[in-house]
Amino acid sequence: MDHLWAPWRLSYITGPKQAPDGGPACFLCRAATGTGADDRANLVVHRTERSVVVLNRFPYNNGHLLVCPLAHKGRFDELTPEELLDLQLVMRRFMGIIEKRMNADGFNVGLNLGRPAGAGVPGHLHWHVVPRWNGDQNFMAVTGDTRVISQSLDALYDLLAEELAKV
C-alpha cells in the first residue's frame, strides 16, 4: 500500500463537526452568512444576492470551486427560478475567469444530490466546478494513484479576487 503524507487534511478529519462559535454547523452556511471580513478565512471569493462561491479547501484539481445558494437548501426543486438562474450565471462567469486566467481547457461541473449520490454536505446544494487541462492526468494519477495540486489556495484566491476587481 502506498502512503501519501498530507498533514493539512488532519484539521478536516479531527475538526469539530459543529461550529465552535455556536454558529451554523454547515460550513457553506457559515461562509454564506459571514460578514465579509472573514471571507478570506472562509475561502469565500464572491457573493451575489442569492449565491456564494467558495474555494474547495480539499480540491480535486487547481481552481476547484463550490458554487452554492445562500439559503440552506438540500433539494434541487427547493431552488427558486431566481436562485437557479443566479447560480448558473455565476458558474458561467467563473468558468470564463478560469479559462482566461488559468488557461483551462475544459471543466467538470457536478452536483451530487443526496448522500447516496456522494454529497458530502447533503443539506446544502453546491456545484463543483473543476477546471481541467489537456494532459492533467499524468503519470502520478495513473501509476501512483496520486494527484498533484500545484497552486496554493491563497494564490488561487488572489488570482480570482484580482480578476473580479476589474469589473
Side-chain angles (χ1 to χ4, degrees), residues 38-112:
D38 53 355
D39 276 355
R40 188 175 190 99
N42 288 322
L43 302 178
V44 173
V45 72
H46 183 68
R47 297 172 183 276
T48 72
E49 184 180 321
R50 296 179 176 90
S51 64
V52 64
V53 179
V54 181
L55 305 184
N56 191 322
R57 192 172 300 275
F58 305 101
Y60 295 118
N61 218 350
N62 294 357
H64 185 166
L65 305 175
L66 304 176
V67 179
C68 55
L70 287 176
H72 187 84
K73 295 181 178 183
R75 293 179 44 93
F76 198 73
D77 59 2
E78 293 175 334
L79 294 173
T80 67
E82 295 81 13
E83 287 171 320
L84 187 56
L85 177 60
D86 183 76
L87 289 159
Q88 298 302 302
L89 292 173
V90 166
M91 280 188 278
R92 180 179 74 176
R93 181 177 185 194
F94 274 84
M95 284 187 276
I97 290 171
I98 290 172
E99 281 178 336
K100 176 182 175 185
R101 294 298 303 270
M102 299 175 73
N103 298 315
D105 295 315
F107 293 88
N108 291 120
V109 178
L111 171 66
N112 300 327

Side-chain angles (χ1 to χ4, degrees), residues 40 43 55 59 62-63 102 149-159:
R40 188 175 190 99
L43 302 178
L55 305 184
N62 294 357
M102 299 175 73
I149 307 296
S150 58
Q151 183 181 43
S152 73
L153 291 175
D154 280 335
L156 174 62
Y157 191 98
D158 290 342
L159 180 139

